């Protein structure tokens, strides 16, 4: 009877949620004021004020938009192969997708976090998480290339990631799904969850000069689900805060069995103390297996290294390292205000928003104001850490960001709105409907010490009736709000790729002038570079043939290649010798079983091609580059295995013969 009652309650809750999501607000058609178009209009030839970086969810990519226009500027491939530019297909980028499981050409990219200096976004890098096969990536914002991907051992469902400390000392990643640690026997009954499953928090160090990442240490925690996290700042510098759910430690039908308790936890971690303990030699060395993949901008080539050891500390063995704060109910968001004093927990199933005080947290720890422990971790009394509660904010609070005026903004998934409230007096100041069911939201710098107070973007999960129908599936909707006044003003709807989750925004001025226009050819250290047409050649090494090729408007050198035989592996190493901004060249050959290449000015990229039949195969530039782009092409002749046709290559000399057999000049 108890189980039937639980199912009935769950079904009723779902029905209410679906019903609310399907209702169209009466003012949906006229919610946008007459001056909205003027506020989002960017004059042709002018730049947007902000870059908006948006996670791609199940696309595995990151999209870049301009604000306030909402124009899509670029799609950056991170965890998914991308035929548009050959990412994951070229020989140089294939290693980026290597893992301990082999090559994984896709992932579920949920969250992004910009690098910071002194708690302010600095425009150097943006970090991205892979939720499915746990990984963290670093994208270079000078090139908009994915420069590094590191796999996370002892992890499953890397959702609470990648959130950074205020000087980008560490990228922090919490496991979504607790599992047995990698060095333990994983062949255990699933219903032994409470005995065998653990949650792991990874601390990834970031080199302050070049951004290179390494796993500094991991914390082994009780077997709960970690959802989202943010670092302390200002007075709470040195601490990190995570939302936790499934404290029931259920392993089946979580919508019922992981939602029984009135309160789950915010986990507070003294990360500076953890780093000091590791430096002092604490923790144990654990045998693991994970990939570390880096792209070198000088050689234009990625390498993958399999690493075999991490340092792990079990938090219950180090008192004073970790504390739990009760938080209602099934918390999702965990956000820290610009001052670092207030920690906001957002319980998906709560009818209020709890706001915790860092000062009160420290006092509670000093006074041992504990309500007991959870698997050896002290649980602070709720009231001892609580600053106050935002009463009746809306239904289904998820995520909170902050402006520069002391206000907070929280998405309400069930009641489909963004709610503005004051951090100090916790009073609701405004609410604006969204269309529909917003998850994350973004204010440029909204999770930093210095947020902007101009724009807010809500990322909605349901899009019905907002855009032209495209069958059963619609693009997700982003909605831009002006938050510069007392009331939020809806300005713009625009569709996004994938399923947007978290997003980040930054003033364009912090990136625009540092953006690389082209790679200097003299600095190209690729092992197969051709720095001029005179350096091109075709070299046979057994059954491998390396074609050193150049591309320039409007021909490829060489453009006639003979002597390729069945059974050969042909590697086209194409160097774009242009030295001008926005003049990429492409390369594709008939019958290629992977993709094309897109080669930036001054860059070298390689395509592997294994011909499967005898004949003549055209190749050509795939990126329109000049009036004579159509003429930028060539031919490869493939002969039978054992053929006596010599290996030869040319450009401009292998002309057709006349009827008398003489070359046609």
């Amino acid at each position: 009877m108890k189980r039937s009652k639980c199912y009935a309650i769950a079904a009723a809750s779902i029905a209410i949620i679906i019903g609310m999501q399907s209702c169209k607000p009466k003012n949906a058609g006229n919610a946008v004021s007459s001056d909205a178009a003027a506020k989002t209009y960017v004059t042709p030839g002018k730049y947007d004020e902000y870059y908006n970086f948006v996670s791609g969810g199940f696309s595995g990519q990151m999209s870049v938009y301009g604000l306030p226009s909402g124009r899509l500027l670029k799609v950056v491939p991170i965890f998914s192969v991308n035929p548009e530019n050959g990412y994951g297909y070229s020989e140089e980028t294939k290693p980026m997708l290597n893992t301990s499981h082999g090559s994984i050409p896709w992932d579920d990219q949920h969250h992004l976090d910009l690098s910071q200096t002194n708690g302010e976004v600095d425009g150097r890098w943006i970090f991205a998480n892979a939720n499915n096969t746990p990984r963290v990536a670093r994208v270079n914002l000078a090139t908009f290339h994915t420069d590094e991907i590191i796999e996370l051992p002892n992890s499953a469902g890397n959702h609470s990631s990648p959130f950074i400390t205020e000087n980008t000392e560490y990228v922090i990643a919490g496991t979504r799904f607790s599992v047995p640690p990698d060095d333990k026997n994983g062949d255990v009954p699933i219903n032994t969850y409470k005995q065998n499953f653990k949650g792991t928090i990874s601390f990834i160090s970031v080199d302050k000069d070049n951004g290179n990442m390494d796993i500094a240490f991991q914390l082994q925690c009780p077997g709960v689900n970690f959802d989202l996290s943010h670092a302390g700042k200002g007075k709470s510098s040195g601490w990190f805060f995570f939302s936790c759910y499934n404290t029931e430690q259920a392993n089946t039908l979580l919508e019922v069995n992981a939602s029984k308790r009135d309160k789950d936890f915010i986990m507070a971690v003294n990360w500076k103390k953890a780093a000091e303990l590791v430096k002092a030699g604490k923790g144990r060395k654990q045998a693991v297996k994970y990939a570390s993949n880096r792209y070198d901008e000088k050689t234009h080539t990625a390498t993958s290294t399999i690493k075999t050891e991490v340092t792990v500390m079990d938090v219950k063995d180090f008192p004073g390292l970790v504390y739990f704060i009760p938080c209602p109910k099934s918390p999702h968001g965990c956000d820290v205000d610009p001052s670092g004093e207030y920690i906001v927990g957002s319980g998906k199933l709560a009818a209020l928003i709890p706001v915790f005080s860092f000062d009160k947290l420290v006092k509670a720890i000093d006074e041992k104001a504990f309500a007991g422990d959870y698997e050896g971790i002290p649980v602070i009394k709720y009231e001892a850490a609580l600053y106050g509660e935002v009463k009746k904010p809306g239904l289904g609070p998820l995520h909170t960001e902050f402006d520069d005026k002391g206000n907070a903004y929280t998405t309400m998934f069930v009641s489909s709105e963004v709610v503005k409230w004051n951090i100090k007096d916790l009073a609701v100041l405004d609410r604006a409907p969204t269309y529909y069911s917003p998850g994350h939201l973004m204010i440029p710098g909204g999770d930093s010490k210095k947020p902007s107070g101009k724009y807010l973007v809500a990322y909605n999960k349901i899009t019905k009736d907002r855009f032209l129908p495209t069958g059963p599936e619609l693009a997700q909707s982003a909605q831009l709000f002006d938050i510069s006044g007392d009331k939020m003003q809806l300005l713009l709807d625009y569709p996004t790729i994938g399923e947007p989750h978290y997003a980040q925004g930054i003033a364009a001025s912090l990136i625009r002038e540092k953006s690389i226009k082209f790679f200097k050819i003299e600095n190209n250290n690729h092992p197969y570079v051709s720095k001029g047409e005179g350096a091109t050649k075709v070299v046979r090494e057994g059954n491998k043939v390396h074609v050193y090729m150049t591309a320039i408007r409007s021909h490829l050198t060489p453009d006639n290649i003979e002597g390729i035989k069945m059974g050969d592996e042909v590697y086209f190493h194409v160097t774009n010798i242009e030295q001008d901004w926005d003049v990429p060249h492409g390369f594709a050959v008939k019958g290629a079983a992977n993709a094309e290449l897109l080669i930036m000015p001054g860059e070298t990229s390689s395509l592997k091609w294994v011909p499967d039949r005898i004949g003549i195969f055209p190749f050509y530039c795939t990126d329109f580059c000049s009036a004579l782009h159509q003429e930028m092409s060539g031919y490869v002749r493939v002969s039978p295995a054992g053929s006596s046709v010599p290996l030869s290559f040319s450009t401009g000399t292998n002309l057709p013969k006349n009827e008398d057999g003489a070359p046609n000049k």
Side-chain angles (χ1 to χ4, degrees):
M1 290 181 64
K2 287 184 178 179
R3 178 174 294 182
S4 299
K5 185 177 180 181
C6 287
Y7 285 143
I9 292 170
S13 299
I14 292 168
I16 291 170
I17 291 170
I18 292 173
M20 296 187 72
Q21 290 173 348
S22 63
C23 294
K24 181 176 180 179
K26 293 180 180 179
N27 62 345
N30 52 13
V32 180
S33 64
S34 58
D35 66 338
K39 289 186 175 183
T40 63
Y41 182 67
V42 177
T43 306
K46 298 296 183 181
Y47 293 136
D48 279 284
E49 296 174 68
Y50 295 92
Y51 286 98
N52 180 204
F53 301 97
V54 184
S55 66
F58 42 68
S59 78
Q61 301 170 329
M62 176 181 74
S63 54
V64 186
Y65 296 85
L67 293 179
S69 72
R71 297 180 294 197
L72 177 63
L73 304 177
K74 190 176 182 67
V75 175
V76 179
I78 301 176
F79 299 109
S80 294
V81 294
N82 188 22
E84 179 185 343
N85 61 7
Y87 179 81
Y89 293 108
S90 72
E91 294 304 296
E92 289 78 7
T93 57
K94 283 180 180 178
M96 294 300 291
L97 300 178
N98 189 42
T99 75
S100 63
H101 303 274
S103 179
I104 304 290
W106 166 87
D107 218 297
D108 186 15
Q109 198 277 295
H110 273 217
H111 301 121
L112 300 163
D113 215 2
L114 286 161
S115 58
Q116 295 185 10
T117 301
N118 297 323
E120 299 180 19
V121 291
D122 57 26
R124 300 178 71 191
W125 308 299
I126 190 164
F127 299 90
N129 76 325
N131 187 32
N132 183 266
T133 302
R135 289 172 280 179
V136 167
R138 175 175 56 84
V139 176
N140 184 340
L141 292 181
T143 61
F144 284 68
H145 283 175
T146 302
D147 273 4
E148 190 169 11
I149 296 177
I150 191 166
E151 187 183 2
L152 303 178
N154 295 317
S155 184
N158 174 39
H159 187 69
S160 183
S161 164
F163 297 101
I164 62 165
T165 53
E166 59 185 333
N167 280 294
T168 321
E169 299 98 336
Y170 294 101
V171 176
I172 318 298
T175 184
R176 174 181 176 183
F177 306 113
S178 289
V179 290
D182 287 3
D183 64 339
K184 302 295 184 183
N185 177 21
D187 183 18
V188 296
I190 297 173
N191 63 9
T192 63
Y193 185 112
K194 293 185 178 183
Q195 292 76 39
N196 293 310
F197 290 43
K198 299 295 180 183
T200 299
I201 307 294
S202 300
F203 284 74
I204 305 164
S205 62
V206 181
D207 187 284
K208 62 184 178 61
D209 296 318
N210 57 31
N212 287 346
M213 300 188 296
D214 286 298
I215 297 178
F217 59 91
Q218 294 184 313
L219 301 181
Q220 182 175 291
C221 302
V224 299
N225 293 40
F226 293 103
D227 209 339
L228 288 176
S229 56
H230 273 97
K233 54 179 76 80
K235 61 169 57 181
S236 56
S237 177
W239 287 76
F240 222 97
F241 305 94
F242 297 81
S243 61
C244 313
Y245 67 103
N246 193 23
T247 55
E248 298 87 347
Q249 296 185 322
N251 59 276
T252 182
L253 200 65
L254 265 62
E255 65 174 300
V256 174
N257 294 319
S259 304
K260 293 180 177 179
R261 297 187 175 189
D262 289 335
K263 292 182 176 67
D264 289 280
F265 296 130
I266 297 294
M267 187 174 81
V269 180
N270 186 336
W271 69 259
K272 283 195 173 178
K273 181 172 183 176
E276 290 168 1
L277 288 169
V278 171
K279 189 176 181 180
K282 303 298 183 181
R284 65 183 179 90
K285 301 295 183 183
Q286 180 187 337
V288 292
K289 185 179 180 183
Y290 67 98
S292 174
N293 311 326
R294 289 178 182 167
Y295 184 83
D296 188 323
E297 294 286 359
K298 292 183 178 178
T299 63
H300 306 293
T301 302
T303 55
S304 179
T305 304
I306 297 295
K307 298 192 174 183
T308 58
E309 188 179 80
V310 289
T311 299
V312 179
M313 291 191 295
D314 191 327
V315 296
K316 72 176 184 300
D317 297 333
F318 298 93
L321 195 58
V322 171
Y323 298 91
F324 283 129
I325 309 168
C327 182
K329 179 184 183 184
S330 296
H332 184 55
C334 180
D335 303 280
V336 182
D337 88 302
S339 74
E341 165 62 9
Y342 303 105
I343 301 113
V344 180
S346 297
K348 301 187 295 289
L349 304 179
L352 52 81
I353 300 174
V355 180
F356 301 100
S357 160
F358 181 73
D359 286 342
K360 293 186 72 173
L361 168 65
V362 172
K363 182 180 179 184
I365 292 170
D366 289 342
E367 295 178 353
K368 293 183 170 46
F370 303 142
D373 72 90
Y374 182 88
E375 294 198 7
I377 310 301
V379 177
I380 294 170
K381 291 179 180 177
Y382 179 67
E383 294 77 9
L386 185 70
Y387 173 73
E389 298 171 338
V390 182
K391 304 291 186 181
K392 298 181 179 180
L395 298 178
L398 288 186
H399 298 283
T400 300
E401 295 231 334
F402 306 92
D403 67 14
D404 57 350
K405 306 177 188 69
N407 301 312
Y409 301 76
T410 303
T411 50
M412 300 292 165
F413 180 80
V414 178
S415 53
S416 288
E417 58 187 333
V418 175
V419 174
K420 175 182 178 181
W421 50 278
N422 183 268
I423 299 170
K424 291 292 180 66
D425 62 20
L426 308 181
V428 173
L429 304 175
D430 188 26
R431 55 182 73 240
T434 62
Y435 311 103
Y436 304 93
S437 300
H440 286 274
L441 75 165
M442 185 283 304
I443 294 172
D447 61 353
S448 72
K449 277 185 178 179
K450 192 176 181 181
S452 163
K454 192 167 187 179
Y455 298 118
L456 177 152
V457 182
Y459 299 95
N460 304 316
K461 303 301 184 184
I462 309 297
T463 320
K464 61 181 70 176
D465 74 48
R466 303 308 291 178
F467 306 122
L468 285 172
T470 54
E473 183 190 20
L474 302 174
Q476 277 78 23
S477 162
Q479 294 192 300
L480 176 70
F481 291 84
D482 179 348
I483 58 169
S484 59
D486 291 336
K487 298 293 182 180
M488 293 176 279
Q489 180 189 7
L490 178 61
L491 301 179
L492 182 68
D493 278 14
Y494 57 95
T496 65
I497 69 163
E499 183 195 354
H501 289 265
Y502 205 62
Q504 293 273 274
I506 188 171
S509 58
L510 289 174
I511 294 177
R512 189 178 63 216
E513 301 308 319
K514 296 185 289 187
S515 184
I516 289 176
K517 305 295 192 295
F518 56 86
F519 298 103
K520 293 181 180 179
I521 192 71
E522 61 268 25
N523 295 336
N524 185 331
N525 293 327
H526 192 288
Y528 293 99
V529 65
S530 299
K531 295 189 177 181
E533 292 183 2
T536 59
K537 56 187 176 182
V538 180
V539 177
R540 176 177 288 281
E541 297 175 355
N543 73 326
K544 294 183 179 180
V545 178
H546 295 276
V547 180
Y548 294 69
M549 181 178 283
T550 60
I552 194 169
R553 290 165 288 185
S554 295
H555 63 272
L556 297 159
T557 302
D559 64 4
N560 280 206
I561 303 169
E562 301 189 27
I564 304 299
K565 303 172 186 179
M566 288 296 294
D568 284 345
E569 293 180 358
V570 183
Y571 294 85
F572 293 97
H573 308 288
V574 186
T575 302
N576 180 348
I577 57 176
E578 305 276 4
Q579 293 288 268
D580 195 5
W581 189 20
D582 195 29
V583 190
H585 288 296
F587 180 83
V589 59
K590 180 183 177 181
N594 40 24
E596 56 137 13
L597 300 175
L598 194 63
I599 312 109
M600 299 301 110
E603 184 181 40
T604 301
S605 191
S606 304
L607 182 72
K608 179 182 178 180
W609 177 61
V610 181
D612 66 347
R613 65 196 67 179
I614 295 164
I616 301 297
F617 294 82
F619 56 80
Y620 67 102
C621 174
T622 57
D623 190 283
F624 202 99
C625 54
S626 71
L628 296 175
H629 165 72
Q630 291 291 93
E631 286 73 20
M632 194 169 174
S633 61
Y635 295 97
V636 177
R637 174 186 174 186
V638 178
S639 302
S643 168
S644 60
V645 175
L647 190 66
S648 64
F649 60 96
S650 62
T651 304
T653 58
N654 189 25
L655 296 170
K657 293 182 178 180
N658 289 319
E659 291 182 3
D660 61 3
N664 183 354
K665 298 182 180 180

